[in-house]
């Protein structure tokens, strides 16, 4: 029988961290060996024998955590945002001295959001038109969402690879701005509606047809399958990987 | 056996007029007795014994056509746009001298668009959030669509009747305009996509739920059931009616 | 300043009852004066001065609760199911002796579900085709849902009022049963999917067009606005009302 | 300047063949050199100098056409269905003697349908639940559609690759068959609605989330981009290819 993977969660008291602890405890092949909060020492994870740390902390401490994990030969699955090129370079350099260790930095652990972006890029070259509608709860402060911006960039790459020019749009009169934002040449619309959580629709159009991708996130637990996928795969993926799609088999 | 209703089409050579001729010919209870084009005399309709004229001409001649029909005691089902209050007053005055005659002026003959507007007004008072997404082919010149503007106005009336204030929206940062147009306090988004014709989605949101109305018009023949409804009902509806919903049983 | 309405919840320890207590406490115009569980005396509600009881108990005790409320001149908003004609007749007779008291028995407090049923009935007469797709979590034991059955019945009434015959369907070969259930002449499809809660889509089709109604219930809190609507309106609606739509302005 | 590709259409008088002729004529980089109907000799295509034939005939003659094309060193893009393994083996053998010639046999030229199948297979391994809803006009004779059956098979392959077992479904009571057809372990629902043409929705569900793929075919012209893709690519793809996805870059 295979042994379970020993996991410590950093940022265990936050909303994501707490959900991750629950998900790891419920997984039969994983064992939660430490919950490290902001007032705990990282050493607690090493002392508990963690093979993988899941870092769900904040931008100000995540780099320090990752460098510590590499130094201790512990794999790191990282959800915190705010990583810039310089920080990634530091991680790569540290990994040079620990070639068997893996680090996965994933700005989005929702598998459906990752699928939407990948499939949007692949489909984009085949359709004359492409637009994005993202929908969130009305307490969100910014528009459009980061996921929608990344999806627009993916569509733009797909259109360029397919040799497509601008999307067709004969609009001459739109003084109220109904056509929405334009991100990398793609129109993006942001809906804010009570009762919704996080949703994204990508619509492609050609003569006589439409193709759509849609992802609905109803609850933060929807991020957990992506976290667990990272934890299970990381031992076989040494080095730095950015983006969960690097771990997925998307044929 | 009941006799069929005798109908003449004015503007019979236009796209809508031509579709109306076909629809009337295919209806068992209706008889197409005259196709009047821009170079024909209106008298052709009277001489052919028309009981109802369907006016699908242009703003510059529609009023003259309607007044002529009233004078001849012929009911008029009118799809042309561009009617102002003064013109409607003229029609009412003319009808005073012909009290059995009916005139229906309908800016939109798509039954689904009429249902969407009516139901949107009725539902609006029950939901904290309401937004509209209209989608059309990319050759459309203006945004948002007239139907979306009318629907926004209907939602605003419903919200006011229900004592609701502004829709919730915490957006602080939207430099690209992703939140779209605001019409009567309702956010309206316009999508332009090859392969689409005319589509409208109305989304309502409350805590833990969503309610949606959607109308898809794939072809101009979708206007014909509304035209035929008008032709069949007009004899029992003397006087001026504005809007197809006046003829519908929406209890 | 108007005084708040004094409310007691019967069945306060159940999932719905507990959600109702929270919703009443959060409403500024309502006061929660008693939480009556299965081991408490109903008199506790009267002693606490309740003007309205919200009954979210089980079929075996709900009738007794309602008759007790009427006897005490307390209005009753009732969510329990399992009422038959005989029980309703008993309630009507009891109300004869207490003409100022109101009783609302609502099998479904989700406003969106009520709107869907009402609008479906009104729209049905205008469309040749009508189908229902209901979608729920995969732990649901029965298919199709009760709400879908009621909606099919509403569509059937609308079609009959509009003089429509059977829906068109040329299917000759369907050995696997892909066309789904037929309820009152309407095809009903049941989807069971992890992550969903309770969703209903009603699709109408005519030549060249489609009209849709959709209700998504993401959480049981979505029933609370309907409960509160009942509590607020009941004092002005003496007698027995069955169905939340009797309290709604669906003009 | 590159020369245009010389194309002949076999089955030019059918609905698909006639649409293909129009599409080829409108493409700047293609030249329609022959329209071969059922009473014409195939030699007409060779005499006109066709480099590619598009075969949109019927199962009884398509194999003969393809073998003739190979013998003449003309590439063949084939939409006719009804090919079995024996016939494909004959084509492969014939191609052995003409190694530079390409044959593409595509049961479905709608790019969106091909994308839906491919993405469905890739996504299936990541979701506990998967169901298919296909929607067509009510004159369709069989249910479910062939495309839906193929998509179910693709999902089943994806689930197997991901080590998933059966979809969760606690349904105990469904005497009317609302849960639909089961194809390769996947529930498939068939909607028949006036106004629709050919539509497919694939829904995946996991805890707290949903992922959807949707393809809408509003008109048979939606098959033409797939036909043109085949015509343009075939010279660089010698040998037999089955399925349009073999020509697509789905990364």
């Amino acid at each position: 029988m295979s042994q379970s993977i020993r996991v410590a969660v950093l940022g265990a008291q936050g909303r994501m961290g707490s959900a991750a602890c629950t998900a790891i405890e419920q997984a039969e092949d994983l064992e939660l060996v430490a919950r490290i909060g902001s007032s705990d020492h990282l050493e607690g994870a090493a002392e508990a024998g963690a093979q993988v740390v899941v870092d769900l902390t904040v931008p100000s401490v995540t780099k320090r955590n990752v460098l510590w994990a590499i130094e201790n030969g512990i794999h790191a699955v990282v959800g915190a945002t705010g990583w810039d090129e310089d920080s990634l370079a530091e991680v790569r350099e540290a990994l040079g001295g620990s070639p068997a260790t893996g680090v996965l930095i994933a700005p989005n652990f929702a598998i459906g959001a990752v699928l939407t972006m990948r499939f949007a890029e692949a489909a984009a070259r085949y359709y004359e038109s492409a637009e994005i509608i993202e929908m969130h709860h009305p307490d969100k402060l910014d528009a459009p969402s980061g996921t929608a911006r990344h999806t627009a960039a993916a569509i733009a790459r797909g259109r360029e690879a397919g040799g497509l020019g601008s999307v067709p749009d004969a609009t001459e009169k739109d003084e109220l701005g109904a056509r929405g934002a334009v991100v990398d040449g793609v129109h993006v619309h942001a809906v804010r509606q009570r009762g919704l959580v996080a949703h994204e629709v990508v619509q492609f159009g050609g003569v006589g047809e439409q193709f759509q991708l849609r992802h609905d996130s109803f609850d933060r637990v929807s991020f957990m399958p992506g976290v667990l996928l990272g934890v299970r795969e990381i031992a076989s993926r040494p080095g730095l990987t950015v983006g969960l799609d690097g771990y997925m088999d998307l044929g």
Side-chain angles (χ1 to χ4, degrees), chain A residues 16 19 110 196-199 215-224:
Chain A
M16 282 287 284
L196 296 182
V197 179
H199 314 255
H215 181 241
D216 297 279
S217 207
F218 302 122
D219 192 296
R220 110 175 31 93
V221 297
S222 66
F223 298 108
M224 293 309 129

Side-chain angles (χ1 to χ4, degrees), chain A residues 4-205:
Chain A
S4 55
I5 303 171
R6 300 171 61 84
V7 188
V9 172
L10 314 185
Q13 291 150 350
R15 292 186 307 179
M16 282 287 284
S18 153
C21 288
T22 303
I24 290 162
E25 285 181 321
Q26 290 174 350
E28 291 188 7
D29 58 336
L30 306 181
E31 186 183 350
L32 181 66
V33 297
R35 301 167 184 258
I36 308 293
S38 55
S39 57
D40 300 318
H41 287 291
L42 288 174
E43 279 68 29
E47 286 159 11
Q51 299 165 289
V52 180
V53 293
V54 174
D55 181 297
L56 297 165
T57 59
V58 290
S60 59
V61 300
T62 184
K63 190 177 75 177
R64 189 202 61 187
N65 293 349
V66 172
L67 294 176
W68 173 87
I70 295 170
E71 202 173 317
N72 286 269
I74 301 175
H75 307 296
V77 171
V78 184
T81 54
W83 287 82
D84 56 23
E85 267 312 312
D86 286 352
S87 303
L88 294 176
E90 269 187 80
V91 168
R92 274 192 203 94
E93 195 185 321
L95 282 167
S98 182
T101 304
V103 172
L104 167 65
I105 296 179
N108 196 331
F109 276 114
I111 284 174
V114 173
L115 293 176
T116 300
M117 264 180 267
R118 278 290 292 263
F119 295 163
E121 181 168 350
R125 67 168 62 196
Y126 297 109
Y127 289 100
E128 191 180 349
S129 295
E131 303 215 358
I132 297 169
I133 305 167
E134 57 94 330
M135 302 185 272
H136 284 81
H137 57 84
D139 302 322
K140 188 171 170 60
L141 300 179
D142 59 316
S145 68
T147 300
R149 288 172 187 266
H150 286 125
T151 307
I155 291 172
R157 286 194 301 272
R159 292 179 68 89
E160 196 183 346
L164 297 177
S166 311
V167 294
D169 184 2
T171 310
E172 289 179 356
K173 184 162 164 284
D174 177 21
E175 68 272 17
L176 297 175
R179 292 285 290 121
V182 180
V183 178
D184 289 335
V186 177
H187 287 260
V188 180
H189 310 272
V191 172
R192 295 293 173 261
Q193 188 177 310
R194 184 71 70 210
L196 296 182
V197 179
H199 314 255
E200 187 183 29
V201 182
V202 185
Q203 299 193 167
F204 295 101

Side-chain angles (χ1 to χ4, degrees), chain A residues 203-245:
Chain A
Q203 299 193 167
F204 295 101
V207 176
E209 72 170 321
Q210 179 176 230
F211 177 69
Q212 281 180 280
L213 301 164
R214 176 175 183 132
H215 181 241
D216 297 279
S217 207
F218 302 122
D219 192 296
R220 110 175 31 93
V221 297
S222 66
F223 298 108
M224 293 309 129
V227 172
L228 300 190
L229 175 67
V231 169
R232 286 173 179 134
E233 295 283 317
I234 197 162
S236 60
R237 314 258 188 174
L240 174 63
T241 305
V242 177
L244 186 62
D245 51 337

